[in-house]
Every structure is written in structure tokens, then in C-alpha cells.
Amino acid sequence: MSHAAEAARRRTFAIISHPDAGKTTLTENLLLAGGAIRAAGEVAARGEARRTRSDWMKIERDRGISVSASVMTFEFQDLVFNLLDTPGHEDFSEDTYRTLTAADCAVMVLDAAKGIEPQTLKLFEVCRLRDIPIVTFINKMDREALEPIDLLDEVQDRLQLDTAPLYWPAASGQRFAGMMDLTKKEFIQFERRPGEPPKIGDAPRIAADDATLKANLDGHVYTELTEGLEMAAGLLPEFDQESFLAGHMTPVVYGSALRHFGVAELLRTLQLYAPPPRDQKAERKGEPVTIHAADNTVSGFVFKIQANMDPNHRDRVAFLRLCSGEFRRGMRLKTAGGKQLGIHNPLMFLAQDRGIAETAYAGDVIGVPNHGQLRVGDSLSENGDIQFAGIPNFAPELLRRARVKDPMKAKHLRKALESLGEEGVTQLFKPTIGSDMIVGAVGQLQFEVMIERVAAEYNLEVVFEPAPYNVARWLSCDDPKILEDFLERNKSASGTDLDDAPVYLAKNAWDVGYAQEKNPEIRFTATKERAI
Ligand code: G4P
């Protein structure tokens, strides 16, 4: 198969949801439905695949890291699905945002009793920014749910996303009976099976016009279903593939991940509609170019770095999303900055296929072990002439001054914080005046994780104290002189990030607004896309 054909059968997606909506449960059940695992937690390994799998498991063990859960690859009916995992805790949402830059499609999981929750909204906005098409999975139908039409209205109103249900549920909670497949005009029955584990595979179906359907359902549930179907047909648009791919419409599937209901239907929806690897915007020698999955040379970008938790090694794994070409093990790739890397031990994340450890295609993600040469946002290509756009850094929402208990070790601490900053989860700022180390993170939990990691990996005791600033904004200006003047005048409120990019450090958002008003030529941005 040509590399273009291989790329065309890749479907790379991520799941977005508010904590507790059921992302983990759905992930596991998608892997079950796709045949990637046989029972909860058990990875199906056969023949050659077993060797491949144990290879990288050994690498994981040797390096003391766990990367396998970050990407899960499985084949389902001629398609290769790459499911990108996104960290669940909201403090790590920046990582999640970046992972979305590597996805071509997202599954938005909603709790049927709660609808859109704050984290769903935030993540949705990132998808919208990138026009990532979204499939909606309304989960936990086996519990009391909001009215289906109200849930769809909420999606429509709050996300400005047209909803096209592909299925329509019959009641919820104790009375949940299943859902109508609106395309095939068949009712899919929810089997309760109390006390038994859910059955993996297809649920029984009854044709919509089969008289036994009515007999099979409780009278009220049947009436609710028929009324709901009429309402859906009258009020909601039909699914339109183009509108979906443009990010304007979401197909909706209902289900219960926990009871493995609707999961096969979700997988089929992805199979039918999820797009193959998208074209990617990039620059080549300063000129904008579009990289196509079918292009001949290999290219990709790093969207995540996972550091080694083993204090004896400083190795990291960079997650490289391939965008074009056929990657072969042992290849040498170059960053746009001229760094060259031979990739001899790429980590692959699949359970099933054979031989794939040797090659990878657009849409795939490989793990590149390195000693810190690679950074989030780096682009790699055969000629080192491609720089992808759009892997953002987000302004941290919390700033703290870092101090080491033993003042003799300040230099060591700076090294440690720089190194952690390079992973991209936290930021390190250097104020223009003084020698403070200002660390930014999107959540409190990250500071706690840092304290532990700095202790374990660098043997240093770090303390995070309140900083004189609370807000950081990246600065840019078309006229370098204006920016220089501004920085000169604002020495006490400015600094640089890890890449020496200028930042404005302010007490609060009001200060930022004021400075912005006074300096209209300067852009104060909450995200920074890696410089070309
Ligand atoms: P998350 O990754 O999005 O945070 O959610 P997760 O899958 O961990 O699910 C959160 C809770 O919701 C879990 O219950 C899980 O069992 C439950 N859940 C997920 N899908 C469904 C569903 O379709 N129906 C019902 N009724 N529950 C569902 P928990 O009590 O927090 O954990 P556990 O003790 O069950 O593991």
C-alpha cells in the first residue's frame, strides 16, 4: 500500500469532556469495541504484535516511564484509529489543548444529566479555534437524563453548533430502553443484564416498522420515543458531512459507556465520517505552504513531551504527530532550527498490527526518545525546512516565585525549572530586574507536582511563594523599535520566557488592559505560538 493510501486510512482523534463525564470508561470501551483489548485492561497481543508491544513496554520499564496510555492505536475494519489521550485533571488542560492540535477530530462526551460543563466549553473552544470536527456522545443514558431535545438545544445555543442526531433515545435511567438508528430505521435495544458484565459487540436490533417493537417497549416509553422522533424530524437538521468537517455541525450518538451501549455505534460514526489526516499549515523558507498527508517527504510536529520519572536518566519522549510521508525506523529528521536527530527507537503505541513498528504515516504519532533536544512546538522534517504553525503556549493563570531552601543551590534550581519548563507544561519567566525565577502554571496542582519532581529528580527543595505579578502576556509588535522602547520604559513589569521572548508581567488584568490601551501598537497575547 502506498504511503498516501496508508495515510488515508488513519483516523486520529481525541476525547474531550468535563471530568467524570465518562472519558476513561468510553476510552476503554472503544478499545474493546475496536478489538484492541479483550477485557478491561488486557491488551490483545498476538505473534509479531506481541514482540512489538513488549519492545516498547521494555523501553518504558527501562526508562521508568509510562507513555503507552498517551496514544492508543487500533485497527477497525481497514481503518487505523489513533486515540490521543488527554489528561483528565483540569489543571493539566494546557497539555490537553496541545494534544488537540495533533487530532483531526474530537469526540465530545457529555453527561446526559449535566449537559455542557465548564471544562467541556473550554475544550470545545480550542476545537473551534482549529475547526476540528466534533462527534457528540451523550453518555450515562442508563441514569436519569435531561430531555434529549433540551440537551441538543444546549449544544446548539452554548456552542453554536448545529446538532444532527444519528440516533434517538427511548427514555433514560431505569426506563432506558435503547435508541432508534435514524439512518437504518432500526431500534437498538438496551439489554439490562443486571449483575452481569456488559456484552461486547452489537446490541439486538428491531426494524422500526416491525410490530414487535411496540410490544417490546413499555407503553409510555414507546409514546415518548415516537413523539421524540417526530420532534427530531421536524426540528433538527439532517446530518451534513461538509458542515461537520467545517466544524459547524455535530452528529450525536447516545449511549452508556459503562454498559457498553452505543459504543459500537460511536465507532461506526467515526468510521463513516471522521476525516483522514488534515492538511497542515506551515512555513518553508519564510513562505506559507500547506503540507498534505500524501506529500512524499516526512514531516511532523512535537505536541507533547513526557519526561522520565526515573532520576537516573534525563531522557524524555517527544510525541511527534506525523503530517506527511512514510516514516521508517532509523530515519534522520531535522528541526527547523537545524538540530538533527536519528530516530532509531521510535515508540509505537499499538496493540494489534504487525510490522508497524518499522513504519508510520501521516496521522500516526510516534514517541521519540531524546535527551532534551526536542521541545513542544518543534517541527521535524527530512530537510529541516518545514515549520508548522499553531502549537500554542497558553499564558499561565497562576504565577509564583520559586525559591530553593538552600540558597547555594539557586543555579541548580534554575536548571531544574528550565528543564521542566521545556516539557511545556509549566513556564519559567525571568523578570528584567532582579534574579527571581517566576514559574507560571495553569493550576495549583502543577506546583505540587513540581515540588515533588524537583525533589525526586534534582534533589532540591523548592518553595513556591506569592509573586509580585499575577498575569503574564506575551508581547509582540510589527515595529521592533516601539517594542524596545516599551520594554525600556517598563523594566519593572517585564521579563522573558524560556525562549527569550518578551513578556509583560502585571499585577492584574486591569494593568494589562491599561498598558494595552496606552500602547495600541503592541500586542499583548495570552497565547504564544512557537516562533518560526
Ligand atoms: P472521566 O474519565 O471523564 O473522569 O470519567 P470516568 O470514565 O472515570 O467515569 C466517571 C464515573 O462515571 C465513574 O464512576 C464511571 O463508572 C461512571 N460512568 C461512566 N460512564 C457511565 C455510564 O454510561 N453510566 C453510568 N451509570 N456511569 C458511568 P465512579 O463511581 O466515579 O467510578 P467507579 O467506581 O465506577 O470506577
Side-chain angles (χ1 to χ4, degrees):
M1 205 183 292
S2 72
H3 74 273
E6 281 287 1
R9 66 188 196 105
R10 265 44 185 187
R11 298 292 181 273
T12 303
F13 70 105
I15 301 180
I16 59 171
S17 69
H18 191 83
D20 261 1
K23 191 181 64 165
T24 312
T25 313
L26 181 62
T27 301
E28 191 160 287
N29 277 276
L30 274 170
L31 295 178
L32 282 166
I37 53 174
R38 271 194 231 111
E42 184 203 343
V43 179
R46 282 182 265 121
E48 189 82 359
R50 185 180 295 126
R51 184 187 64 77
T52 312
R53 174 181 159 237
S54 56
D55 263 7
W56 59 251
M57 284 185 56
K58 181 173 177 311
I59 296 172
E60 284 192 335
R61 246 198 337 271
D62 288 353
R63 294 168 194 263
I65 48 170
S66 166
V67 288
S68 55
S70 299
V71 186
M72 287 154 277
T73 299
F74 59 97
E75 269 201 61
F76 180 70
Q77 299 182 355
D78 290 341
L79 293 182
V80 178
F81 286 92
N82 294 311
L83 200 179
L84 308 182
D85 190 36
T86 51
H89 196 285
E90 66 180 306
D91 279 1
F92 292 103
S93 51
E94 190 178 339
D95 216 11
T96 307
Y97 293 144
R98 294 226 194 82
T99 297
L100 287 174
T101 62
D104 297 309
C105 178
V107 171
M108 173 168 75
V109 183
L110 302 182
D111 181 328
K114 297 186 175 153
I116 310 268
E117 297 176 83
Q119 192 75 353
T120 338
L121 197 63
K122 266 176 125 176
L123 293 164
F124 166 78
E125 279 162 6
V126 180
C127 293
R128 161 134 304 162
L129 213 62
R130 305 188 175 270
D131 298 325
I132 296 177
I134 294 174
V135 176
T136 301
F137 184 78
I138 299 187
N139 191 29
K140 306 198 188 180
M141 289 304 295
D142 60 315
R143 291 218 185 133
E144 278 320 307
L146 299 169
E147 287 300 321
I149 194 79
D150 293 342
L151 278 161
L152 301 188
D153 274 351
E154 198 187 0
V155 172
Q156 189 114 21
D157 292 346
R158 295 190 58 195
L159 309 184
Q160 256 98 64
L161 198 58
D162 286 338
T163 52
L166 303 178
Y167 300 86
W168 194 264
S172 67
Q174 286 297 329
R175 299 185 314 132
F176 183 52
M179 62 188 178
M180 186 66 83
D181 179 335
L182 301 179
T183 321
K184 293 197 173 148
K185 311 261 182 294
E186 289 170 350
F187 186 78
I188 311 168
Q189 282 179 297
F190 175 61
E191 295 179 297
R192 223 153 261 286
R193 302 163 58 88
E196 285 179 59
K199 212 166 83 194
I200 308 306
D202 291 322
R205 288 174 169 244
I206 310 176
D209 56 7
D210 188 326
T212 58
L213 174 59
K214 188 170 180 185
N216 256 292
L217 295 182
D218 168 281
H220 291 295
V221 172
Y222 183 78
T223 313
E224 257 175 65
L225 173 67
T226 41
E227 284 174 1
L229 288 173
E230 268 172 39
M231 190 161 52
L235 294 178
L236 297 165
E238 288 221 356
F239 176 69
D240 177 74
Q241 171 77 352
E242 237 170 77
S243 186
F244 161 66
L245 291 179
H248 303 318
M249 174 181 271
T250 178
V252 182
V253 180
Y254 293 83
S256 164
L258 189 65
R259 307 305 305 165
H260 198 82
F261 183 80
V263 179
E265 286 69 23
L266 174 63
L267 194 53
R268 218 155 285 140
T269 302
L270 290 168
Q271 181 192 16
L272 286 173
Y273 307 123
R278 51 163 54 199
D279 290 344
Q280 305 274 353
K281 290 198 183 91
E283 275 193 14
R284 180 183 278 140
K285 300 193 180 99
E287 292 294 318
V289 285
T290 302
I291 304 296
H292 307 282
D295 290 353
N296 283 330
T297 58
V298 172
S299 69
F301 60 85
V302 175
F303 63 93
K304 175 181 170 145
I305 302 271
Q306 192 156 332
N308 193 352
M309 300 302 279
D310 177 351
N312 298 321
H313 298 95
R314 287 270 184 269
D315 286 5
R316 287 119 194 257
V317 172
F319 288 79
L320 180 70
R321 146 86 200 217
L322 293 169
C323 300
S324 63
E326 174 173 338
F327 170 84
R328 275 161 280 113
R329 184 175 187 163
M331 242 179 177
R332 296 190 76 78
L333 296 181
K334 290 182 206 153
T335 65
K339 282 177 270 183
Q340 210 181 119
L341 249 104
I343 305 177
H344 303 290
N345 289 309
L347 310 182
M348 307 281 179
F349 308 97
L350 81 163
Q352 262 185 334
D353 202 10
R354 42 188 70 204
I356 194 154
E358 301 301 323
T359 52
Y361 305 90
D364 287 338
V365 171
I366 57 173
V368 182
N370 69 97
H371 306 290
Q373 299 99 313
L374 291 176
R375 304 272 291 272
V376 167
D378 273 349
S379 300
L380 284 170
S381 57
E382 283 181 60
N383 299 322
D385 56 352
I386 295 172
Q387 175 69 47
F388 289 99
I391 299 101
N393 273 311
F394 289 84
E397 287 165 24
L398 294 171
L399 296 179
R400 295 278 182 272
R401 188 200 338 238
R403 189 171 61 77
V404 65
K405 284 208 171 144
D406 175 355
M408 300 300 284
K409 297 210 165 135
K411 252 197 183 147
H412 292 100
L413 179 64
R414 182 174 295 279
K415 272 230 122 7
L417 295 176
E418 274 173 10
S419 179
L420 292 174
E422 282 168 9
E423 287 174 31
V425 179
T426 52
Q427 317 256 359
L428 180 66
F429 299 111
K430 187 175 172 301
T432 311
I433 299 173
S435 56
D436 276 352
M437 291 171 254
I438 305 293
V439 175
V442 285
Q444 181 59 37
L445 182 65
Q446 286 174 331
F447 290 109
E448 284 155 34
V449 172
M450 278 186 110
I451 291 173
E452 277 181 29
R453 286 193 53 189
V454 169
E457 296 170 34
Y458 299 89
N459 200 18
L460 294 171
E461 246 186 297
V462 60
V463 185
F464 289 108
E465 300 170 335
Y469 330 95
N470 294 305
V471 184
R473 289 287 178 269
W474 279 283
L475 299 170
S476 59
C477 182
D478 294 332
D479 183 343
K481 183 84 185 73
I482 295 180
L483 184 57
E484 221 171 275
D485 284 351
F486 175 83
L487 291 171
E488 190 57 37
R489 279 183 283 118
N490 289 277
K491 277 193 175 148
S492 61
S494 62
T496 48
D497 73 0
L498 214 51
D499 297 320
D500 282 332
V503 281
Y504 186 64
L505 297 165
K507 278 200 189 62
N508 50 42
W510 189 88
D511 277 355
V512 176
Y514 184 77
Q516 192 149 32
E517 214 178 287
K518 291 276 168 212
N519 301 278
E521 306 89 350
I522 294 177
R523 291 181 290 273
F524 294 71
T525 49
T527 59
K528 182 188 79 161
E529 303 210 336
R530 278 299 293 273
I532 306 282

